[in-house]
Amino acid sequence: MTDTNSKSSSLNGGTDDPEPGERVRQGEGDASPAPETLTSPDSAPTAVSPAPESGDGGQDRPMPDAEQERVRGEEEEEDTDSMDGSVLYSFTEEGERESEGGGRREREKDERERGKRRVGRKRNRPGGGTTRRSSSSDDDDDDDEEEDEEDEPDEEEDDQAMEAWLGSDLRDLSKPMWRAVPSLRAREIGRGSHQFARRVCGARGLVQRLELQGRLERHTGCVNTLHFNPSGTRLASGSDDLRVVIWDWARRRAELEFDSGHKSNVFQAKFLPHSGDSTLAMCARDGQIRVAELSATQRCKNTKRVAQHKGAAHKLALEPDSPCSFLSAGEDAVVFGIDLRLDRPANKLVVVKEGDKKVGLYTIFVNPANTHHFAVGGRDQYVRIYDQRKINENDNNGVLKKFCPSHLVSSESKTNITCLVYSHDGSELLASYNDEDIYLFDSSHSDGADYRRRYKGHRNNATVKGVNFYGPCSEFVVSGSDCGHIYLWDKNSARVVQFMEGDRGGVVNCLEPHPHLPGLATSGLDHDVKLWAPTAEAPTSLKGLKEVMKKNKRERDEDSARHGDPYDTHLLWFLMRHMRNRRPHRARRGEAGEGDTDESWSSPDSSDEEDGGPDHVQCMSS
């Protein structure tokens, strides 16, 4: 570097110009001397004089330019972002500027994303090839910086709000109640062996190791229902193809396949308990309730219609100890009690109403601990519980008590209950709401009680989703989702403990735990049944869970803002039936196949209307 005296003599008329390399070093280092070094010892400090017109060919002096750049840099809050044509650009200065003016942004936004935005601004900024900028461009860049600073906190606030929403209503996971090695040792010496299977099925460590074991492929349409027989050796499935298949699931083969006799999508098929697996109850979109009589020689003797709803019938409710009695619910708001021992099996128990308005039903379930009680849910936000022994429709429309999450009581959104189930001992009731969450109620609470737990993250919009308990003591909650995944929550903490990709078609509807083994059968828009077992070597890492949960929530909020009632399909159903009935009538008898019949055990409360032929709609929302 040149000392102070040499710089002074050069600035006061000296003829020795600095070498070009020296001038570059002065600019690059930005090591401009203090103001007093820019003056001669014999003169007072003064501004840098313009370059002489003669004597050096008019060549610009390096120090005046450097000084002007330094002064301008002090006047401006930030240096130019352009490196083109300037030897004064300094990475050190840029770093200092960012630490002073952009430190808050670095703390608020991820450094990598911020860097990408800065590069984009540099490339798009006009006049990037010069070190000089007009004051208007400075103002524009300052405005851009201010807008970025305003946008970034908004994104961060949204993300923080999402994190807060996902984290609310959660509790800490309890310590594992089952350990493999001590339990196996205890069983070897005969201690607690009768409880071994139950503890294994409810162990969180095994739930976290569930993985796909195989597929059962036979149907040619969406599989809408799954049900194990009481012993767990057989699995029944029903589909949009109007057929029912009885599987030997362990050997991955179909033992029996038959036409259900329904004219539209089969929604449920269940083995009646204590019937020797010889009686299967079914319901469908055509509103019919049918019973199939199965033989020990692996054939279907016949199917009979035992009741008729005036709307789609989605669910049946079995009485745990009865081989001949069950309940049905339909979108006509009617609940039928069906007793196969009677000449007229169907008896109308109640028409579900809210005030004077009928409430179409999607789901029904009998309390396993008190079979006189049953719960229904449908086209409003209320879980209704009835007692078959004392239904008086003139007294509170016959309702024993109603439950609803407090924030949904006065909600303007059209919220529906797509599925509800009782726990193993009837003490708890689980309800899944469309485009809302899953809620757990205490069935012993008084009328109007709020929920106890809330389970978040999935999405229930595209179809009528099922929900279920998993584990012999209802230790977990399991549900499918529009995103194609299967979620398992720990019931007490409401935390997701398992997250699996369940359907290539994108939606998982049915989830059926095995009655005695740690396993699960699921189905949805795909035409197969999937079997899951805890055989993974390591517990799940829940990879991608948070991103999928956030995506589900954002899509739910967007759809809620755009649409009114996505489940309002009564008009579509009416038009579909009207158009079908205008077609030429086909022969109805014998249509169901060999051994099947349309013989009907009707009742005065059943509708006598017949359908003109098969009409199955692919997995429409009801």
Side-chain angles (χ1 to χ4, degrees):
M1 295 293 290
T2 308
D3 59 20
T4 302
N5 293 333
S6 63
K7 288 182 181 178
S8 301
S9 62
S10 175
L11 290 172
N12 286 280
T15 59
D16 292 335
D17 290 336
E19 295 297 329
E22 182 181 350
R23 183 176 62 175
V24 172
R25 287 194 299 273
Q26 290 172 350
E28 288 178 347
D30 193 30
S32 301
E36 60 270 21
T37 64
L38 298 178
T39 63
S40 170
D42 302 326
S43 62
T46 181
V48 178
S49 61
E53 296 180 358
S54 62
D56 58 358
Q59 183 179 2
D60 291 341
R61 298 290 184 179
M63 291 309 294
D65 284 347
E67 175 65 12
Q68 289 177 8
E69 290 295 337
R70 188 184 63 78
V71 173
R72 183 163 57 250
E74 292 175 351
E75 293 175 351
E76 298 176 355
E77 283 191 8
E78 64 176 21
D79 195 3
T80 178
D81 284 338
S82 174
M83 294 179 62
D84 298 334
S86 172
V87 296
L88 299 177
Y89 184 88
S90 168
F91 288 102
T92 304
E93 288 181 352
E94 180 70 6
E96 292 172 353
R97 180 181 65 81
E98 284 298 324
S99 65
E100 294 173 0
R104 181 166 61 89
R105 291 198 306 276
E106 290 182 12
R107 290 192 300 272
E108 294 175 341
K109 195 66 179 175
D110 182 83
E111 184 176 353
R112 182 169 51 189
E113 295 180 358
R114 182 178 58 78
K116 292 179 181 178
R117 286 196 299 273
R118 286 177 48 79
V119 171
R121 290 199 301 272
K122 290 178 184 179
R123 292 176 179 174
N124 296 327
R125 181 172 293 160
T130 178
T131 60
R132 297 180 182 271
R133 295 182 300 172
S134 66
S135 60
S136 61
S137 66
D138 293 343
D139 294 340
D140 292 341
D141 289 339
D142 290 341
D143 292 341
D144 291 341
E145 292 291 340
E146 291 176 2
E147 289 178 3
D148 289 335
E149 291 181 3
E150 290 176 359
D151 291 342
E152 289 168 1
D154 289 342
E155 295 175 2
E156 175 113 4
E157 288 174 6
D158 291 343
D159 193 61
Q160 289 176 353
M162 185 70 72
E163 291 282 352
W165 180 80
L166 290 175
S168 61
D169 298 310
L170 298 182
R171 299 187 178 188
D172 293 335
L173 279 170
S174 60
K175 293 182 179 179
M177 301 297 294
W178 179 83
R179 298 181 183 275
V181 174
S183 296
L184 288 169
R185 288 175 176 171
R187 188 179 65 167
E188 287 179 356
I189 62 175
R191 188 176 64 194
S193 58
H194 63 288
Q195 291 291 328
F196 181 82
R198 290 176 61 84
R199 291 172 179 168
V200 166
C201 292
R204 187 167 72 230
L206 292 189
V207 169
Q208 293 174 326
R209 285 173 166 81
L210 285 171
E211 64 177 356
L212 184 64
Q213 290 295 297
R215 295 178 172 88
L216 306 178
E217 299 176 325
R218 191 82 171 201
H219 288 291
T220 58
C222 304
V223 181
N224 306 315
T225 176
L226 299 171
H227 188 248
F228 284 103
N229 64 350
S231 64
T233 59
R234 298 293 180 266
L235 176 67
S237 63
S239 170
D240 288 352
D241 61 12
L242 310 184
R243 301 188 70 77
V244 173
V245 179
I246 309 299
W247 301 91
D248 181 347
W249 63 269
R251 298 182 180 180
R252 312 284 199 273
R253 71 181 186 189
E255 286 200 337
L256 173 63
E257 181 179 359
F258 62 93
D259 194 314
S260 65
H262 286 287
K263 313 302 180 186
S264 190
N265 313 51
V266 177
F267 282 155
Q268 200 152 57
K270 288 191 169 186
F271 292 99
L272 293 186
H274 306 294
S275 67
D277 302 336
S278 64
T279 308
L280 199 71
M282 303 172 292
C283 63
R285 184 179 288 278
D286 58 12
Q288 293 185 26
I289 310 301
R290 302 183 72 88
V291 172
E293 296 181 0
L294 311 179
S295 71
T297 58
Q298 299 181 359
R299 63 183 297 270
C300 176
K301 296 179 182 178
N302 56 51
T303 66
K304 294 183 174 67
R305 183 170 64 121
V306 297
Q308 176 73 58
H309 288 275
K310 295 181 181 179
H314 290 270
K315 289 290 192 296
L316 304 172
L318 304 182
E319 295 187 6
D321 297 323
S322 176
C324 52
S325 299
F326 60 95
L327 307 180
S328 70
E331 289 190 21
D332 56 0
V334 173
V335 175
F336 281 126
I338 299 169
D339 190 337
L340 301 181
R341 296 167 295 186
L342 303 178
D343 293 335
R344 294 180 177 272
N347 174 43
K348 184 188 292 183
L349 295 179
V350 66
V351 178
V352 177
K353 295 181 179 180
E354 181 62 26
D356 295 329
K357 182 182 178 181
K358 291 183 179 180
V359 179
L361 300 178
Y362 296 136
T363 181
I364 184 170
F365 210 94
V366 170
N367 187 333
N370 183 352
T371 57
H372 297 296
H373 289 186
F374 65 91
V376 297
R379 294 178 63 83
D380 70 2
Q381 64 268 48
Y382 293 104
V383 174
R384 293 174 174 84
I385 298 177
Y386 295 85
D387 188 332
Q388 295 187 51
R389 299 166 297 182
K390 47 184 179 181
I391 297 179
N392 181 2
E393 295 190 24
N394 296 322
D395 181 13
N396 196 28
N397 287 321
V399 177
L400 180 65
K401 50 187 170 183
K402 295 193 297 187
F403 298 139
C404 178
S406 56
H407 65 281
L408 295 180
V409 172
S410 58
S411 174
E412 295 180 358
S413 63
K414 301 288 186 178
T415 306
N416 305 307
I417 298 172
T418 63
C419 186
L420 56 78
V421 292
Y422 275 100
S423 61
H424 71 292
D425 58 0
S427 63
E428 296 169 322
L429 193 56
L430 197 64
S432 180
Y433 286 76
N434 75 290
D435 256 353
E436 242 282 344
D437 299 320
I438 298 170
Y439 296 91
L440 182 73
F441 300 94
D442 190 323
S443 62
S444 64
H445 282 178
S446 59
D447 184 30
D450 204 357
Y451 67 91
R452 289 181 51 204
R453 295 284 188 280
R454 182 178 186 175
Y455 307 96
K456 303 175 181 178
H458 78 308
R459 189 156 188 234
N460 178 3
N461 174 265
T463 56
V464 181
K465 294 287 181 307
V467 69
N468 216 331
F469 288 102
Y470 181 87
C473 296
S474 305
E475 293 92 342
F476 304 93
V477 172
V478 58
S479 174
S481 174
D482 290 352
C483 63
H485 291 88
I486 300 166
Y487 293 75
L488 282 110
W489 295 266
D490 176 71
K491 186 182 70 176
N492 292 325
S493 68
R495 294 181 180 273
V496 177
V497 295
Q498 181 57 280
F499 172 70
M500 307 178 291
E501 186 174 355
D503 230 47
R504 294 186 299 269
V507 180
V508 179
N509 296 325
C510 303
L511 308 109
E512 180 74 2
H514 192 277
H516 309 301
L517 298 175
L520 183 72
T522 66
S523 67
L525 295 190
D526 289 350
H527 298 174
D528 58 14
V529 178
K530 295 179 177 63
L531 302 174
W532 308 82
T535 57
E537 293 185 1
T540 178
S541 63
L542 301 178
K543 183 178 180 181
L545 170 64
K546 185 172 291 187
E547 288 73 18
V548 173
M549 293 172 73
K550 290 180 179 179
K551 181 174 181 289
N552 288 339
K553 179 63 164 61
R554 291 192 183 98
E555 291 178 353
R556 189 174 94 180
D557 292 343
E558 291 170 1
D559 284 353
S560 178
R562 281 197 302 263
H563 304 298
D565 183 6
Y567 275 72
D568 191 8
T569 59
H570 276 305
L571 178 61
L572 179 61
W573 173 242
F574 172 80
L575 292 174
M576 181 185 68
R577 290 173 62 87
H578 178 70
M579 293 176 65
R580 184 183 67 234
N581 290 335
R582 291 183 62 185
R583 296 198 301 260
H585 290 279
R586 290 182 285 182
R588 297 189 179 104
R589 301 296 177 182
E591 194 171 55
E594 182 180 358
D596 293 346
T597 176
D598 260 343
E599 176 186 349
S600 175
W601 295 326
S602 62
S603 76
D605 297 318
S606 297
S607 170
D608 291 330
E609 59 181 325
E610 289 277 358
D611 291 329
D615 180 44
H616 42 283
V617 182
Q618 290 295 321
C619 297
M620 287 176 51
S621 301
S622 294

